Amino acid sequence: MDAFLTSLRQWLHHTQLADFMNTSNWGWPIAESVHFIGLCMLIGAVGMFDLRMMGFAKRVPLGALHRLIPWGVAGYCINVLSGISFLTAQTDQYMYNPAFQMKMLFMGTAGINVLVFYLTMSRKVAVTGANENAPMAARVIAVTSLACWIGVIVCGRMLTFYRPPWHWCPWC
């Protein structure tokens, strides 16, 4: 595993994207702005849907909010792509950063959670009308989703505060 991480770190650091991010005056600010826009799309759509499944804004049918999910998926894709640009630019500061590792854990958990939702609850939730509660399992999935995305946001913000010292990394 150590050899794999070392090879990955070196390869990412020597890509054209890393070079652009590290030498351009505009690379990092553009990526930050795009990342924030993607985050707004993701949390705006998914967050509203999760809150409705939890029982808030019951006058809104769940099916109507579910139509916003493609916007959340688009925001997620934007964030993955812009996040890769950060990772390539400062590979060591991300790969060995506990906040980044926790962020990836939260993202993975959110991914499993959405998979569970679409395999088990999506059809039941789609027919939940205005003033109706989502099934209990859907509410648990919604709480888990919101907690994961809040964890992603918090850990993303903590990245700059938990930069590992260079001597901490045994592979560097």
Side-chain angles (χ1 to χ4, degrees), residues 76-105:
Y76 176 80
C77 292
I78 288 169
N79 276 10
V80 167
L81 294 173
S82 57
I84 288 170
S85 67
F86 301 134
L87 178 63
T88 61
Q90 299 293 322
T91 309
D92 294 333
Q93 292 298 325
Y94 286 93
M95 284 181 68
Y96 306 110
N97 188 320
F100 178 75
Q101 294 164 357
M102 288 300 297
K103 181 177 179 175
M104 294 299 103
L105 180 65

Side-chain angles (χ1 to χ4, degrees), residues 9 13 89-94 96 163-172:
R9 179 177 61 84
H13 186 69
Q90 299 293 322
T91 309
D92 294 333
Q93 292 298 325
Y94 286 93
Y96 306 110
R163 293 181 182 231
W166 291 103
H167 65 275
W168 177 83
C169 171
W171 304 282
C172 301

Side-chain angles (χ1 to χ4, degrees), residues 7-87:
S7 296
L8 179 63
R9 179 177 61 84
Q10 290 173 349
W11 177 75
L12 286 172
H13 186 69
H14 291 95
T15 61
Q16 288 181 346
L17 179 58
D19 185 52
F20 171 74
M21 290 293 291
N22 287 320
T23 60
S24 167
N25 289 333
W26 288 100
W28 202 276
I30 289 170
E32 285 278 1
S33 298
V34 168
H35 202 69
F36 186 74
I37 291 167
L39 180 65
C40 291
M41 291 169 64
L42 170 65
I43 299 305
V46 174
M48 286 179 19
F49 185 66
D50 287 342
L51 287 170
R52 172 56 185 95
M53 279 200 303
M54 291 166 54
F56 295 95
K58 286 173 111 176
R59 287 192 253 169
V60 180
L62 269 165
L65 284 177
H66 190 262
R67 284 182 239 138
L68 295 175
I69 295 300
W71 289 97
V73 171
Y76 176 80
C77 292
I78 288 169
N79 276 10
V80 167
L81 294 173
S82 57
I84 288 170
S85 67
F86 301 134
L87 178 63

